[in-house]
Amino acid sequence: MNEAEHEAGGIYLFENKAAAQSYMAGPIVAALKASPAVSNISAKLFDVLEDHSAITRAPLSNVGSVG
């Protein structure tokens, strides 16, 4: 959250690309886009960086345990 710039963001981990696309096309994102209190919504899909995710202990089934 950046209150000074009136910005907020987040990173979400989905089971697969189809689930991420479904979320982006779903009711939560639609409600945000329709809200007069929210503007300039941007959503992007990124690949998972497995080495970085292992460091932060992301719950990826194909990444070994760290530490």
Side-chain angles (χ1 to χ4, degrees), residues 37-58:
V38 180
S39 62
N40 298 324
I41 292 178
S42 174
K44 299 177 185 179
L45 294 179
F46 294 94
D47 290 332
V48 172
L49 300 174
E50 292 186 12
D51 291 343
H52 293 80
S53 297
I55 292 168
T56 59
R57 293 183 171 90

Side-chain angles (χ1 to χ4, degrees), residues 4-45:
E5 296 294 327
H6 304 287
E7 297 176 328
I11 296 174
Y12 302 86
L13 179 62
F14 294 90
E15 188 173 331
N16 53 47
K17 186 175 181 178
Q21 291 171 325
S22 177
Y23 178 82
M24 289 173 57
I28 293 173
V29 174
L32 285 171
K33 288 179 179 179
S35 172
V38 180
S39 62
N40 298 324
I41 292 178
S42 174
K44 299 177 185 179
L45 294 179

